[in-house]
């Protein structure tokens, strides 16, 4: 089977035929499983690149490992309540690091590094002027590497990384900081091998709301995009080890949301949910460590878009696709005017079709033919 045919077959399996057709519609294709130029042969390519692919796919991986968590992907609705206080508050927060083995997709395991056991790390949400007292722990029983945490919302050496650098089993580190500037920001591990640690899952978001807060919406979702660099091929069953060579070449095996390929689709752990007439805000953290995302909602637009997490300027309006650099949390809002799936993708579309960067919001409700009519 050629690599392209294999990849398209995986998309059909991952998101269902109707979902694949919808993605293909955005790509401009017809959703079929045919090769370019009408060639849908399953024979292995005979050119040099085909030989290399065949050789790589033939290299056996170790068997998939037993998982330590049922699911690596943090639930997109795991978002703290919006700020509803008018005076500065003090927050006591503990963040623990853990190493977890989980599935990237069924039959494919990987050793992740996490803040609090899932990807991305838990969202921290405060108001400008609030004081945060952070306790940072690297328990010996669940870690094999040194870790720390760099908050992009912190004035201070390394964003707090200098003071929080711990080996497994060290006494907990404690720092305090005032959230001086409003915005949506990334936090991440900043140990010397930070690219590996972020790739393996060690990033999250801290939201510092302005004093007046954010506009009310019906739903808030939290997604984190990152690249997984492994010693296997996409879809190859078994246990995938981390590949420093692939990372140095910036050639990821998977590009995923919340650590899992096609996780928030009907055939994954399930799509996000909304109804017609509702609004949603998406907090989107780009962990990277290397690739800029082209954030795009298929079948919708970002009706209000806070570029680069800027929560103070007036938001941009009706943005179709926006670049999100590694190390950025951006914020987009949308209205759901008609029912049907809204697909959140990286519009570097090979990452959608072949590497896992797809999430779905399943919008239920009455048809509105004045806006969209499938059969006029």
């Amino acid at each position: 089977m050629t690599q392209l045919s294999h990849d398209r077959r995986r998309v059909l399996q991952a998101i269902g035929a109707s979902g694949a057709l919808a993605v293909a519609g955005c790509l401009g294709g017809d959703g079929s499983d045919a090769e370019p130029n009408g060639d849908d042969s399953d024979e292995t390519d005979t050119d040099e690149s085909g030989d290399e692919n065949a050789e790589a796919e033939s290299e056996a991986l170790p068997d998939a490992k037993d998982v330590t968590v049922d699911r690596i992907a943090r639930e997109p609705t795991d978002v703290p309540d919006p700020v509803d206080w008018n005076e500065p508050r003090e927050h006591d927060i503990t963040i623990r690091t853990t190493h977890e083995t989980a599935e990237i997709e069924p039959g494919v395991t990987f050793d992740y590094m996490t803040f609090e056991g899932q990807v991305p790390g838990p969202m921290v949400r405060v108001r400008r002027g609030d004081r945060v007292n952070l306790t940072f722990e690297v328990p010996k029983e669940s870690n094999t590497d040194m870790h720390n945490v760099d908050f992009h919302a912190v004035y201070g050496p390394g964003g707090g990384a200098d003071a929080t650098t711990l080996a497994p089993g060290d006494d907990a580190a404690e720092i305090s900081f005032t959230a001086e500037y409003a915005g949506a920001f990334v936090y991440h591990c900043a140990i010397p091998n930070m690219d590996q640690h972020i790739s393996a899952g060690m990033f999250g978001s801290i939201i510092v709301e302005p004093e007046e807060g954010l506009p009310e919406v019906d739903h808030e979702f939290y997604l984190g995009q990152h690249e997984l660099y492994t010693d296997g091929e996409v879809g190859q069953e078994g246990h995938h080890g981390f590949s420093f060579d692939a990372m140095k070449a910036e050639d990821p095996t998977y590009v995923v949301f919340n650590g899992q390929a096609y996780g928030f689709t009907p055939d994954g752990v399930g799509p996000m949910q909304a109804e017609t007439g509702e609004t949603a805000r998406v907090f989107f953290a780009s962990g990277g460590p290397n690739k800029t995302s082209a954030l795009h909602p298929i079948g919708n637009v970002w009706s209000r878009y806070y570029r680069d997490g800027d929560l103070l300027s007036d938001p941009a309006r009706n943005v179709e696709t926006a670049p999100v650099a590694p190390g950025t949390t951006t914020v987009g809002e949308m209205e759901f005017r008609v029912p049907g799936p809204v697909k959140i993708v990286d519009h570097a579309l090979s990452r959608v079709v072949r590497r896992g960067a797809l999430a779905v919001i399943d919008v239920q409700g009455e048809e509105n033919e004045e806006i969209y009519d499938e059969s006029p």
Side-chain angles (χ1 to χ4, degrees), residues 126-131 153-155 177-183 185 208-209 211 312:
V126 300
R127 177 182 180 270
R128 183 180 178 273
D130 284 359
R131 187 73 173 176
V154 168
Y155 283 122
F177 62 90
T178 300
E180 287 286 333
Y181 41 95
F185 305 98
V208 182
E209 292 197 28
E211 287 90 335
L312 296 178

Side-chain angles (χ1 to χ4, degrees), residues 17-336:
S18 61
L21 287 170
V23 171
C26 190
L27 295 173
D30 62 2
S32 72
D33 196 26
E35 294 286 344
N37 303 319
D39 178 11
D40 61 354
S41 169
D42 278 346
E43 293 181 5
T44 304
D45 293 339
T46 57
D47 62 12
E48 183 177 349
S49 61
D51 289 342
E52 291 175 357
N53 284 333
E55 181 180 350
E57 290 188 347
S58 68
E59 294 177 0
L61 293 174
D63 291 342
K65 289 185 179 180
D66 292 336
V67 300
T68 59
V69 289
D70 291 336
R71 161 180 156 187
I72 197 65
R74 184 171 300 279
E75 177 60 47
T77 55
D78 187 5
V79 177
D81 291 336
V83 166
D84 63 356
W85 52 93
N86 298 319
E87 299 293 334
R89 285 187 177 180
E90 196 162 311
H91 306 265
D92 295 325
I93 295 171
T94 298
I95 294 179
R96 302 174 184 85
T97 67
T98 69
H99 292 193
E100 308 289 354
T101 300
E103 288 188 321
I104 305 172
E105 60 177 321
V108 179
T109 58
F110 180 76
D111 293 329
Y112 294 82
M113 302 178 183
T114 78
F115 295 113
E116 294 292 343
Q118 289 186 305
V119 180
M123 181 185 289
V124 178
R125 192 170 194 170
V126 300
R127 177 182 180 270
R128 183 180 178 273
D130 284 359
R131 187 73 173 176
V132 177
N133 303 314
L134 172 70
T135 300
F136 185 71
E137 300 178 357
V138 182
K140 186 174 183 178
E141 64 273 14
S142 55
N143 293 272
T144 58
D145 292 72
M146 297 181 69
H147 296 300
N148 60 19
V149 60
D150 168 6
F151 284 94
H152 288 191
V154 168
Y155 283 122
D162 289 8
T164 58
T165 300
L166 300 176
D170 281 352
D171 292 340
E174 296 181 357
I175 62 171
S176 294
F177 62 90
T178 300
E180 287 286 333
Y181 41 95
F185 305 98
V186 158
Y187 67 84
H188 61 87
C189 185
I191 216 71
N193 277 343
M194 66 183 77
D195 47 359
Q196 178 203 14
H197 289 211
I198 295 169
S199 170
M202 299 198 80
F203 69 99
S205 291
I206 175 170
I207 311 303
V208 182
E209 292 197 28
E211 287 90 335
E212 64 274 18
L214 295 174
E216 185 176 349
V217 293
D218 296 301
H219 300 279
E220 291 186 319
F221 301 118
Y222 177 32
L223 297 174
Q225 179 172 324
H226 59 123
E227 307 118 39
L228 293 173
Y229 298 92
T230 83
D231 56 4
E233 298 293 314
V234 174
Q236 185 178 4
E237 293 191 357
H239 185 74
H240 285 227
F242 192 88
S243 172
F244 283 91
D245 287 340
M247 184 173 62
K248 286 187 287 186
E250 299 186 12
D251 182 18
T253 311
Y254 290 92
V255 180
V256 297
F257 298 151
N258 297 27
Q260 188 169 341
Y262 305 113
F264 304 118
T265 68
D267 292 328
V269 299
M272 297 164 278
Q273 300 292 328
E275 295 186 3
T276 54
E278 292 184 328
T279 55
R281 176 180 296 124
V282 177
F283 298 98
F284 186 85
S286 177
N290 298 314
K291 302 294 186 181
T292 293
S293 178
L295 181 61
H296 170 64
I298 298 177
N300 212 308
V301 294
W302 303 113
S303 54
R304 291 170 300 282
Y305 188 75
Y306 303 85
R307 294 186 186 278
D308 304 321
D310 175 3
L311 300 180
L312 296 178
S313 304
D314 290 338
R317 300 286 181 166
N318 298 339
V319 174
E320 55 174 341
T321 303
V324 187
T328 302
T329 295
T330 197
V331 183
E333 296 170 356
M334 66 178 74
E335 283 81 36
F336 301 115

